[in-house]
Amino acid sequence: MSSGPGADSAPAPTTHDSPPTPEHRSSMFSSLRIRNYRLFFLGQVVSNTGTWMQRIAQDWLVLSLTGSATAVGITTALQFLPMLLLGLYGGVLVDRLPKRPTLIATQSAMALTGIALAALTLTGHVQVWHVYLAALAVGLATVLDNPARQSFVSEMVGPGQLQNAVSLNSANFQSARLVGPAVAGLMITGVGTGWAFLANGLSFVAPITGLLLMRARELHAVERAPRRKGQLREGLHYVAGRPDLIWTIVLAGFVSTFGFNFPVFLSAFADDVFHAGAGSYSLFNTLMAVGSLAGALLAARRGTARMRVLIAGAVAFGTMEIVAAVAPSLWLFAVLMVPIGMFGMTVNVTANSSIQMGTDPSMRGRVMALYMMVFMGGAPVGAPIAGWVTDAYGVRAGLASGGAVTAAAAVAVALVLARLGGLRLAVGWCHGHPKVRFVPREREQLATAA
């Protein structure tokens, strides 16, 4: 929920821990009752599936054209580099622009990119630099599309359903992650990569149609930021003055940088540890996607984004990675991918929704751009570190160290927020079980005085 204009001071860390009010209690799919969001969600179901199809087809095409894994890495880098370099400026523009027309423009641009790549591939004229250019074009569109799409959710559903809608968006994406690569594999094998690109380009018809069919009068009006100098700096100052936001972003950055290096770890576990090949690597990813989908749906049942859920989820995520690192068998390791995916998605969804709910609407584009830049930028920074640790000390040490850093970061952020909120750690017993919680320092002082 917005803190309101000019709210520079940070709320106590317990802001998100208060019991949900009746209007915030929701069923798992409650935000789908809202017509505008329902149109958006259905469009994203189709578009996300197409996006995953293009990712698989794009990597396969580059590998077929060059035979180089480095070229595949360059393609991925070109797609994410614009967000890292220009993400904050994209957030400034999103705060100035109306979200729905902006999304129509960005989705149209990505559709044209997919269709152009399909035409080049199907006619036999495609070269690797065409794929590089297409990846860069998609990355540039994402600079605006990502923060606009994230912040537009609150305009469709309002603060009462924001947590549920963000969770369903994540569930939507994870569902497409299960379906899209499988469909892409069948299409590439059956008719070729060009048709997968065409399917992705045409898939954008669904979200664009949904945006056009929305009723503007049912959107929650948000005052756009006026055009003026210093808006990027203003957004950074806003976050710097809000410990609840900045420490959430810091924690998300640690989780992304050190905990989400699964392309490095899972392939090494499949080949070097269990000697099971590509089939086990696919199994690990599938089970993690199942866990992520479950985590997103469970988050959708919660009516509020609680800071304690974020902290507990990050600690559990890191701990499960440490447990997986010492798993003695392939099947135990594979089973552990489910809770790892679930807790990882809990962190992702809770951080995303708490930042949106805690940010003034006029700042939301800039704040979400910063969050996405930190979260998405973690992989390029963390992957080389994870690779070095894995090469030097083994993949088990690499995964365990990533989990340990993640869990330690969560505990450190909890202690910082507790100190800022005037809380202290209390350890005791409740009904014969240990109980760890934060309580106000004033309570300790009153007890001492008594």
Side-chain angles (χ1 to χ4, degrees), residues 15 28 41-42 66 127 134 178 192 197 218 232 305 340 374 437:
T15 297
M28 186 175 290
F41 182 88
L42 293 174
T66 66
Q127 298 179 38
L178 291 172
F197 294 137
E218 295 179 7
L232 176 57
I340 286 175
V374 170
R437 59 197 176 103

PDB file of all heavy atoms in Angstrom, residues 15 28 41-42 66 127 134 178 192 197 218 232 305 340 374 437:
ATOM      1  N   THR A  15       5.455  -3.411   9.812  1.00  0.00           N
ATOM      2  CA  THR A  15       4.378  -2.835   9.004  1.00  0.00           C
ATOM      3  C   THR A  15       3.618  -3.913   8.240  1.00  0.00           C
ATOM      4  O   THR A  15       2.404  -3.918   8.176  1.00  0.00           O
ATOM      5  CB  THR A  15       4.969  -1.824   7.993  1.00  0.00           C
ATOM      6  OG1 THR A  15       5.574  -0.769   8.721  1.00  0.00           O
ATOM      7  CG2 THR A  15       3.906  -1.268   7.103  1.00  0.00           C
ATOM      8  N   MET A  28      -7.259 -17.848  -3.521  1.00  0.00           N
ATOM      9  CA  MET A  28      -6.074 -17.991  -4.355  1.00  0.00           C
ATOM     10  C   MET A  28      -6.202 -17.241  -5.680  1.00  0.00           C
ATOM     11  O   MET A  28      -5.213 -16.735  -6.215  1.00  0.00           O
ATOM     12  CB  MET A  28      -5.811 -19.471  -4.604  1.00  0.00           C
ATOM     13  CG  MET A  28      -4.527 -19.767  -5.346  1.00  0.00           C
ATOM     14  SD  MET A  28      -4.207 -21.535  -5.489  1.00  0.00           S
ATOM     15  CE  MET A  28      -3.807 -21.962  -3.797  1.00  0.00           C
ATOM     16  N   PHE A  41      -4.219 -11.124 -17.468  1.00  0.00           N
ATOM     17  CA  PHE A  41      -3.699 -12.437 -17.086  1.00  0.00           C
ATOM     18  C   PHE A  41      -3.801 -13.418 -18.244  1.00  0.00           C
ATOM     19  O   PHE A  41      -2.841 -14.143 -18.547  1.00  0.00           O
ATOM     20  CB  PHE A  41      -4.483 -12.950 -15.874  1.00  0.00           C
ATOM     21  CG  PHE A  41      -4.004 -14.276 -15.348  1.00  0.00           C
ATOM     22  CD1 PHE A  41      -3.002 -14.333 -14.400  1.00  0.00           C
ATOM     23  CD2 PHE A  41      -4.571 -15.463 -15.792  1.00  0.00           C
ATOM     24  CE1 PHE A  41      -2.549 -15.557 -13.911  1.00  0.00           C
ATOM     25  CE2 PHE A  41      -4.133 -16.686 -15.309  1.00  0.00           C
ATOM     26  CZ  PHE A  41      -3.121 -16.730 -14.367  1.00  0.00           C
ATOM     27  N   LEU A  42      -4.951 -13.467 -18.894  1.00  0.00           N
ATOM     28  CA  LEU A  42      -5.135 -14.398 -20.006  1.00  0.00           C
ATOM     29  C   LEU A  42      -4.188 -14.080 -21.160  1.00  0.00           C
ATOM     30  O   LEU A  42      -3.639 -14.980 -21.799  1.00  0.00           O
ATOM     31  CB  LEU A  42      -6.588 -14.373 -20.483  1.00  0.00           C
ATOM     32  CG  LEU A  42      -7.617 -14.909 -19.482  1.00  0.00           C
ATOM     33  CD1 LEU A  42      -9.029 -14.694 -19.993  1.00  0.00           C
ATOM     34  CD2 LEU A  42      -7.364 -16.395 -19.201  1.00  0.00           C
ATOM     35  N   THR A  66      26.528 -21.273 -35.218  1.00  0.00           N
ATOM     36  CA  THR A  66      27.920 -21.008 -34.842  1.00  0.00           C
ATOM     37  C   THR A  66      28.636 -22.196 -34.230  1.00  0.00           C
ATOM     38  O   THR A  66      29.869 -22.267 -34.280  1.00  0.00           O
ATOM     39  CB  THR A  66      27.993 -19.844 -33.835  1.00  0.00           C
ATOM     40  OG1 THR A  66      27.359 -20.239 -32.606  1.00  0.00           O
ATOM     41  CG2 THR A  66      27.291 -18.603 -34.379  1.00  0.00           C
ATOM     42  N   GLN A 127      21.242 -14.885 -40.213  1.00  0.00           N
ATOM     43  CA  GLN A 127      22.636 -14.964 -39.793  1.00  0.00           C
ATOM     44  C   GLN A 127      22.690 -14.661 -38.301  1.00  0.00           C
ATOM     45  O   GLN A 127      21.756 -14.106 -37.725  1.00  0.00           O
ATOM     46  CB  GLN A 127      23.488 -13.969 -40.581  1.00  0.00           C
ATOM     47  CG  GLN A 127      23.502 -14.227 -42.083  1.00  0.00           C
ATOM     48  CD  GLN A 127      24.335 -13.206 -42.829  1.00  0.00           C
ATOM     49  OE1 GLN A 127      25.382 -12.776 -42.341  1.00  0.00           O
ATOM     50  NE2 GLN A 127      23.871 -12.819 -44.016  1.00  0.00           N
ATOM     51  N   ALA A 134      18.087  -8.960 -32.824  1.00  0.00           N
ATOM     52  CA  ALA A 134      16.750  -9.222 -32.286  1.00  0.00           C
ATOM     53  C   ALA A 134      16.784  -9.292 -30.761  1.00  0.00           C
ATOM     54  O   ALA A 134      15.896  -8.752 -30.084  1.00  0.00           O
ATOM     55  CB  ALA A 134      16.196 -10.524 -32.870  1.00  0.00           C
ATOM     56  N   LEU A 178       6.944 -24.311 -17.722  1.00  0.00           N
ATOM     57  CA  LEU A 178       6.753 -25.750 -17.844  1.00  0.00           C
ATOM     58  C   LEU A 178       6.290 -26.141 -19.244  1.00  0.00           C
ATOM     59  O   LEU A 178       6.693 -27.175 -19.778  1.00  0.00           O
ATOM     60  CB  LEU A 178       5.730 -26.238 -16.813  1.00  0.00           C
ATOM     61  CG  LEU A 178       6.154 -26.192 -15.348  1.00  0.00           C
ATOM     62  CD1 LEU A 178       4.966 -26.509 -14.450  1.00  0.00           C
ATOM     63  CD2 LEU A 178       7.291 -27.156 -15.087  1.00  0.00           C
ATOM     64  N   GLY A 192      10.898 -26.815 -37.377  1.00  0.00           N
ATOM     65  CA  GLY A 192      12.014 -25.883 -37.443  1.00  0.00           C
ATOM     66  C   GLY A 192      11.848 -24.692 -36.511  1.00  0.00           C
ATOM     67  O   GLY A 192      10.744 -24.366 -36.055  1.00  0.00           O
ATOM     68  N   PHE A 197       9.616 -18.977 -33.654  1.00  0.00           N
ATOM     69  CA  PHE A 197       9.686 -17.510 -33.619  1.00  0.00           C
ATOM     70  C   PHE A 197       8.363 -16.893 -34.064  1.00  0.00           C
ATOM     71  O   PHE A 197       7.894 -15.906 -33.473  1.00  0.00           O
ATOM     72  CB  PHE A 197      10.812 -17.011 -34.532  1.00  0.00           C
ATOM     73  CG  PHE A 197      12.193 -17.393 -34.069  1.00  0.00           C
ATOM     74  CD1 PHE A 197      13.130 -17.854 -34.977  1.00  0.00           C
ATOM     75  CD2 PHE A 197      12.552 -17.300 -32.732  1.00  0.00           C
ATOM     76  CE1 PHE A 197      14.405 -18.209 -34.563  1.00  0.00           C
ATOM     77  CE2 PHE A 197      13.825 -17.653 -32.314  1.00  0.00           C
ATOM     78  CZ  PHE A 197      14.754 -18.112 -33.228  1.00  0.00           C
ATOM     79  N   GLU A 218     -12.395   1.690 -15.099  1.00  0.00           N
ATOM     80  CA  GLU A 218     -12.257   0.757 -13.989  1.00  0.00           C
ATOM     81  C   GLU A 218     -10.830   0.660 -13.473  1.00  0.00           C
ATOM     82  O   GLU A 218     -10.566  -0.064 -12.511  1.00  0.00           O
ATOM     83  CB  GLU A 218     -12.752  -0.631 -14.419  1.00  0.00           C
ATOM     84  CG  GLU A 218     -14.240  -0.667 -14.724  1.00  0.00           C
ATOM     85  CD  GLU A 218     -14.715  -2.034 -15.175  1.00  0.00           C
ATOM     86  OE1 GLU A 218     -13.903  -2.994 -15.126  1.00  0.00           O
ATOM     87  OE2 GLU A 218     -15.886  -2.158 -15.585  1.00  0.00           O
ATOM     88  N   LEU A 232      15.622  10.917 -11.819  1.00  0.00           N
ATOM     89  CA  LEU A 232      16.352   9.698 -11.498  1.00  0.00           C
ATOM     90  C   LEU A 232      16.970   9.806 -10.104  1.00  0.00           C
ATOM     91  O   LEU A 232      16.850   8.891  -9.280  1.00  0.00           O
ATOM     92  CB  LEU A 232      17.434   9.456 -12.545  1.00  0.00           C
ATOM     93  CG  LEU A 232      18.361   8.261 -12.303  1.00  0.00           C
ATOM     94  CD1 LEU A 232      17.560   6.972 -12.172  1.00  0.00           C
ATOM     95  CD2 LEU A 232      19.385   8.146 -13.425  1.00  0.00           C
ATOM     96  N   ALA A 305       1.825  -8.886   2.037  1.00  0.00           N
ATOM     97  CA  ALA A 305       3.244  -9.187   1.872  1.00  0.00           C
ATOM     98  C   ALA A 305       3.946  -8.865   3.181  1.00  0.00           C
ATOM     99  O   ALA A 305       4.178  -7.708   3.497  1.00  0.00           O
ATOM    100  CB  ALA A 305       3.830  -8.362   0.727  1.00  0.00           C
ATOM    101  N   ILE A 340      13.186 -25.914  -2.839  1.00  0.00           N
ATOM    102  CA  ILE A 340      14.063 -24.805  -3.225  1.00  0.00           C
ATOM    103  C   ILE A 340      13.330 -23.863  -4.165  1.00  0.00           C
ATOM    104  O   ILE A 340      13.377 -22.639  -4.011  1.00  0.00           O
ATOM    105  CB  ILE A 340      15.361 -25.346  -3.863  1.00  0.00           C
ATOM    106  CG1 ILE A 340      16.270 -25.933  -2.782  1.00  0.00           C
ATOM    107  CG2 ILE A 340      16.096 -24.244  -4.620  1.00  0.00           C
ATOM    108  CD1 ILE A 340      17.518 -26.597  -3.325  1.00  0.00           C
ATOM    109  N   VAL A 374      18.484  -4.667  -9.947  1.00  0.00           N
ATOM    110  CA  VAL A 374      19.279  -5.383  -8.944  1.00  0.00           C
ATOM    111  C   VAL A 374      19.010  -6.882  -9.030  1.00  0.00           C
ATOM    112  O   VAL A 374      19.945  -7.701  -9.002  1.00  0.00           O
ATOM    113  CB  VAL A 374      18.966  -4.852  -7.530  1.00  0.00           C
ATOM    114  CG1 VAL A 374      19.600  -5.739  -6.459  1.00  0.00           C
ATOM    115  CG2 VAL A 374      19.440  -3.413  -7.383  1.00  0.00           C
ATOM    116  N   ARG A 437      11.338 -14.729  18.128  1.00  0.00           N
ATOM    117  CA  ARG A 437      10.565 -13.630  17.553  1.00  0.00           C
ATOM    118  C   ARG A 437      11.192 -12.303  17.951  1.00  0.00           C
ATOM    119  O   ARG A 437      12.046 -12.238  18.839  1.00  0.00           O
ATOM    120  CB  ARG A 437       9.107 -13.680  18.026  1.00  0.00           C
ATOM    121  CG  ARG A 437       8.938 -13.603  19.519  1.00  0.00           C
ATOM    122  CD  ARG A 437       7.559 -14.074  19.967  1.00  0.00           C
ATOM    123  NE  ARG A 437       7.447 -14.068  21.407  1.00  0.00           N
ATOM    124  CZ  ARG A 437       6.799 -13.147  22.106  1.00  0.00           C
ATOM    125  NH1 ARG A 437       6.193 -12.156  21.467  1.00  0.00           N
ATOM    126  NH2 ARG A 437       6.746 -13.193  23.412  1.00  0.00           N
TER     127      ARG A 437
END
